[in-house]
Amino acid sequence: ATGEYSNFGISLAFYRGIKPSATAADIKAFTRDFATYLYRTYFWDAANLQAITLPTIAARVLDAEVNMGHSHGIQCLQRALNIADDGVLGPVTAKTCNQMNEQALYGAFVRSAANRYQSIHDAQIAKYTPKLGAHAAQSLADKNLSAWLLTRLAKHPPAFTA
């Protein structure tokens, strides 16, 4: 989505943070197992997501951490829980989360994440208006916001059981 080379959703820019000499050929050579290792190590484990016992919430927070950047997915969760949003999944966040009704928390998380995407949208307009002009910047930001909302929040909504 950023226009740079990626494989299994792992971008060259991200991988260069791990291996500065990485090239597009390195990314192309990724196996599914190696990509899984990167996601587990640099997102799931790094964010302490195993502390969340609600599988749909854990999966959405993981997606947000990958897509929005470290700590932002957890901040969205914390805002959905109405607790301090320090971006750290510690014992208070985990306990509060795990005591919630998963379906209700999912709705609150989606709203929180949508608000985060809206703030990114607004920042894009401010960033690109001097370079592209107001209309083009608005158009670009609107296109990105629509894509984020459709692919990150509306795609594959969970089937909750009663």
Side-chain angles (χ1 to χ4, degrees):
T2 60
E4 66 177 296
Y5 200 82
S6 65
N7 191 8
F8 295 107
I10 305 290
S11 70
L12 180 57
F14 170 78
Y15 193 52
R16 282 186 174 153
I18 299 164
K19 181 182 175 189
S21 63
T23 65
D26 293 324
I27 300 295
K28 186 176 181 180
F30 280 0
T31 63
R32 180 174 298 279
D33 287 343
F34 187 64
T36 300
Y37 160 79
L38 292 173
Y39 281 117
R40 176 163 300 278
T41 302
Y42 293 97
F43 293 98
W44 184 268
D45 293 345
N48 192 32
L49 293 176
Q50 67 277 6
I52 299 175
T53 60
L54 305 174
T56 300
I57 301 302
R60 287 299 185 192
V61 174
L62 172 64
D63 182 72
E65 286 286 295
V66 170
N67 191 260
M68 294 179 188
H70 288 293
S71 81
H72 294 294
I74 294 169
Q75 285 176 322
C76 289
L77 174 63
Q78 291 167 327
R79 289 177 188 135
L81 294 167
N82 291 314
I83 61 175
D85 61 345
D86 63 2
V88 176
L89 181 50
V92 171
T93 301
K95 181 178 180 183
T96 306
C97 172
N98 294 333
Q99 292 174 342
M100 296 291 293
N101 170 281
E102 189 170 24
Q103 188 170 1
L105 180 55
Y106 179 82
F109 179 81
V110 166
R111 286 187 296 279
S112 178
N115 289 337
R116 169 73 178 140
Y117 285 122
Q118 182 67 50
S119 70
I120 294 169
H121 166 271
D122 296 346
Q124 279 190 332
I125 292 171
K127 177 181 178 181
Y128 290 111
T129 294
K131 297 175 190 174
L132 303 175
H135 180 73
Q138 181 77 44
S139 178
L140 172 66
D142 288 352
K143 179 180 173 186
N144 287 340
L145 179 62
S146 294
W148 290 328
L149 294 177
L150 288 172
T151 63
R152 305 275 48 105
L153 301 181
K155 186 177 181 182
H156 307 298
F160 292 99
T161 56

